[in-house]
Structure formats: C-alpha cells, structure tokens
Amino acid sequence: MYAQMIKSEASNDDPEKLAEFQARIDAGEKIEPKDWMPVGYRKTLIRQIGQHAHSEIVGQLPEGNWITRAPTLERKAILLAKVQDEAGHGLYLYCAAETLGVSRDELTEMLLDGRMKYSSIFAYPTLTWADMGAVGWLVDGAAIMNQVPLQRTSFGPYARAMVRICKEESFHQRQGFDIMRKMAGGTEAQKRMAQDALNRFWYPSLMMFGPPDADSVHSSQSMAWKIKMNTNDELRQKFVDQTVPQAEFLGLSIPDPDLRWNEETGHYDFTPPDWDEFFAVLKGNGPCSVDRIATRRKAWDDGAWVRDGLMAHAAKKRAARTAAE
C-alpha cells in the first residue's frame, strides 16, 4: 500500500506546489495528513517516525530484562511502569506514521528485513542494575534533547504525539538519575558499578544524535522542511554541556581525558565518538543487534494468531453490518 501510494504521488511534485508547500513550512504552519506534501517529505517522515517507533519498542528489551531483578519492590514497580510507557510511545508513533499511509504491519516488516533501523543505543547490553540508571539518565536524557524540539516539527500528528512522550521521558530521565545518585552515594562497590555504567554508555549516548553534520545525509532537507529543528552536532553539544555538571554532582567522571571547558566558546570540548563503531552498529553489527531483531521477530511470529483473530473478528462485524443494511 505504502509503495503504491508513493508511486502514485510522484507526479505531484511540480515546482508550483513545492513552492507553496515550502511557503507554508516557512510560515510555521502545521502540515496535516490530508494536505498535499512532496513525496520526499512523506518518505522522510515515515523513515524518521518509523525508526523512532521501533526504537521505543526495541528499547523495552534491555530494560525489561531487569524488571524481575530490580533490588526492591518499589524499583520493580517503577521500572515496570517505565517499560509500559515506552510501549505507549511506540503506539503513539505508529499511529502518527499510519496517517501517512503506511501500516504498522508494513513498518514492522521493514524493521525485520533491515529496511528500517532503530536507535543504535539499544544494540548495547545492560549488564548491571546501574545500567538502568545510565539508561534513564543518559539515554533518556539524550532522547529528551532530541525530542523536545520535535514538539515544534512541521507535521501535526508527529508534533502532537511528542507532547505527551516528552513529559513521560522527563520522568524516565529523573528515575535514571535517582538510581545513579543512590549508587554513587552508596558503597565503594556500588559507586564503581555506577562509574562503569557511565563509562560504557557515554559514547553510545553521544552517538544517539546521529553522525556529524558533515556526514548526515538527510539533515539539510529535513531542516528545511522543519522535520528536524536542530542539527545533530548542536544537540550533541547541548547534551554534553548539560550532562557534565550532573556527573560532577554525582561524583562520577566522564570517560574522556580531553574533556574541558572552553571559555571562548562557552561550551565543553570533548572527544567525538568512534564513528566507525556507530556505522557498524547501524549495519547490524552491535553487541546485541542479532538478539534484538531475533526477539522482535519471535514476538511478531508468536503474535500472528492474535492479529489474524482480530482481523477475522473485524471482517465478521463488517459482514454483519452489511447484512443488516
């Protein structure tokens, strides 16, 4: 359905319509699903929203692994609620993508066959309880940095979905920081565990903002269409500037010997991530990449009977309504 729709719209990208569309974007108007839009705009949104939705769903896996092993009943309940929130975020985003003419089934199939990606951060393992703190503090912190500007993105359904998502993500970030605060203020062994989690998640968190601007294929056009509101490097720098003082408050050290405050720029200078590692993870070569997709594929296959049953029930109700008419 999605491919046929894109093909049928290709002829609509005439210069006059493109100019009118860009004028609406420049004026700050929201684009709604029934509005005319360039094929590239629709494709870019489907790619971005689909990847975002997949990341929320796959992101449950490294955290769900710790629900039964959380140290207290309270921590179990908090983590369970957080994982439930992530499932809701995925639902909001899949619904936003559906307004563009692509179904959830199609999006899932594109993830499973490699045509779509999820955030590289979720290809890394969560080895200790402190990793739940690092995920909440760093990963959700980076997500918030990415997502708050998306409340102003040009596509209406995406912008509106981000309002609730960002509110909930802010609680997730606080939950992670609280875990790190407790660990860093605990025994020496707990503080070492917290530092180890920070060491392992620091650079993968920096990678969450995407490649450097010079190597970002989609950024320029996405910025012009206001699908993205900030560049990758801008958001990465903002994240570093915000997170370094938090680490100092915790008594933890950022694992970057070249990290220092630059009086001239008013920002921290820092060592960039290993971009070879980033692109390798995107290609499916992360530490947990194979397991993550295998888990999603198993869930998809195991849930086929539920989807089939729902479709059969819907068809039965339609037939009954038709007969009654």
Side-chain angles (χ1 to χ4, degrees), residues 100-173:
L100 292 161
V102 59
S103 71
R104 263 174 270 186
D105 286 5
E106 289 175 296
L107 290 169
T108 301
E109 289 164 0
M110 285 190 274
L111 172 68
L112 296 180
D113 66 20
R115 285 177 290 157
M116 269 193 173
K117 309 294 183 183
Y118 58 89
S119 179
S120 60
I121 190 70
F122 300 120
Y124 291 86
T126 48
L127 304 176
T128 71
W129 171 248
D131 288 8
M132 292 298 94
V135 167
W137 172 37
L138 299 176
V139 176
D140 291 325
I144 292 169
M145 201 69 68
N146 265 319
Q147 293 171 9
V148 165
L150 292 176
Q151 294 174 103
R152 297 179 285 110
T153 194
S154 61
F155 186 56
Y158 194 19
R160 291 188 288 272
M162 294 313 304
V163 174
R164 179 168 180 172
I165 290 174
C166 287
K167 288 179 179 179
E168 293 178 350
E169 290 289 4
S170 69
F171 282 101
H172 300 172
Q173 196 268 351

Side-chain angles (χ1 to χ4, degrees), residues 27-262:
E29 294 184 31
K30 285 286 186 282
I31 306 301
E32 299 299 337
K34 293 184 178 180
D35 295 343
W36 183 91
M37 62 186 72
V39 171
Y41 180 84
R42 189 186 299 272
K43 289 176 66 177
T44 299
L45 279 170
I46 290 172
R47 176 186 57 79
Q48 182 169 321
I49 298 174
Q51 177 176 308
H52 192 167
H54 295 324
S55 298
E56 297 285 357
I57 299 303
V58 175
Q60 297 176 98
L61 301 179
E63 294 180 309
N65 180 48
W66 279 94
I67 291 174
T68 59
R69 296 187 287 162
T72 67
L73 180 60
E74 180 184 30
R75 291 293 185 188
K76 286 179 172 65
I78 292 170
L79 186 56
L80 181 62
K82 181 186 178 186
V83 171
Q84 184 178 19
D85 282 350
E86 307 294 4
H89 298 174
L91 176 61
Y92 307 151
L93 292 163
Y94 284 133
C95 288
E98 284 180 320
T99 68
L100 292 161
V102 59
S103 71
R104 263 174 270 186
D105 286 5
E106 289 175 296
L107 290 169
T108 301
E109 289 164 0
M110 285 190 274
L111 172 68
L112 296 180
D113 66 20
R115 285 177 290 157
M116 269 193 173
K117 309 294 183 183
Y118 58 89
S119 179
S120 60
I121 190 70
F122 300 120
Y124 291 86
T126 48
L127 304 176
T128 71
W129 171 248
D131 288 8
M132 292 298 94
V135 167
W137 172 37
L138 299 176
V139 176
D140 291 325
I144 292 169
M145 201 69 68
N146 265 319
Q147 293 171 9
V148 165
L150 292 176
Q151 294 174 103
R152 297 179 285 110
T153 194
S154 61
F155 186 56
Y158 194 19
R160 291 188 288 272
M162 294 313 304
V163 174
R164 179 168 180 172
I165 290 174
C166 287
K167 288 179 179 179
E168 293 178 350
E169 290 289 4
S170 69
F171 282 101
H172 300 172
Q173 196 268 351
R174 295 176 195 178
Q175 171 257 1
F177 189 79
D178 184 62
I179 292 174
M180 295 299 276
R181 183 180 61 82
K182 291 287 183 67
M183 298 288 288
T187 66
E188 283 301 313
Q190 289 172 324
K191 185 171 183 177
R192 286 195 300 271
M193 189 181 293
Q195 182 64 59
D196 175 65
L198 170 56
N199 292 347
R200 286 182 288 106
F201 276 92
W202 175 250
Y203 282 108
S205 295
L206 295 187
M207 295 176 191
M208 287 179 65
F209 299 97
D213 292 343
D215 299 329
S216 181
V217 177
H218 303 287
S219 283
S220 178
Q221 184 60 74
S222 292
M223 294 280 289
W225 280 331
K226 295 186 181 179
I227 294 174
K228 285 180 65 171
M229 308 304 292
N230 302 91
T231 71
N232 298 346
D233 289 338
E234 287 173 350
L235 292 173
R236 192 169 10 255
Q237 183 68 66
K238 186 176 181 181
F239 174 75
V240 172
D241 291 346
Q242 174 180 288
T243 307
V244 171
Q246 294 173 352
E248 292 173 350
F249 175 83
L250 293 171
L252 302 176
S253 301
I254 300 294
D256 181 356
D258 296 324
L259 179 75
R260 57 182 50 83
W261 179 256
N262 187 321

Side-chain angles (χ1 to χ4, degrees), residues 273-284:
D274 180 347
W275 293 116
D276 289 338
E277 177 183 333
F278 170 74
F279 286 112
V281 172
L282 284 188
K283 292 177 181 177

